[in-house]
Amino acid sequence: MDDQNTVPSTAAPAPTCTSCGMATSGYKCAVCGEESAAHDQAHACGGENCQPKCEGCGQADSKCTCQQPQTPSSGPTPPPVDTGAAPPAM
Ligand SMILES: [Zn+2]
Ligand SMILES: [Zn+2]
Ligand SMILES: [Zn+2]
């Protein structure tokens, strides 16, 4: 089996989003939103603004919205788990 298409061991592992820890896909500028496949240290907005793009929300990791509090939906909430076991007499 010639698995030449597997990720080469020499490549650095893809960085994870610093905000939510999710995997990232490519890079995105946190200022202008320009996307690039690789980190662009010479980007017009500054290399530090060319950040890994969060796969969860598609934003630069410093602008990741994955951890934003979600508005509670009006879904049914499961009832509290009741073990039904009698408390041990002490
Ligand atoms: Zn994220
Ligand atoms: Zn930019
Ligand atoms: Zn995100």
Side-chain angles (χ1 to χ4, degrees):
M1 297 281 274
D2 292 331
D3 290 328
Q4 295 293 326
N5 288 330
T6 54
V7 178
S9 59
T10 54
T16 53
C17 176
T18 56
S19 294
C20 71
M22 198 177 296
T24 59
S25 176
Y27 288 81
K28 184 167 185 172
C29 175
V31 178
C32 72
E34 182 176 301
E35 298 185 21
S36 62
H39 182 255
D40 184 6
Q41 186 62 41
H43 180 66
C45 302
E48 72 276 11
N49 290 317
C50 185
Q51 300 164 352
K53 185 177 70 173
C54 177
E55 275 195 343
C57 60
Q59 300 297 320
D61 67 357
S62 73
K63 298 184 72 175
C64 171
T65 58
C66 293
Q67 299 285 47
Q68 297 295 322
Q70 297 178 351
T71 53
S73 60
S74 59
T77 55
V81 177
D82 186 2
T83 56
M90 288 297 285

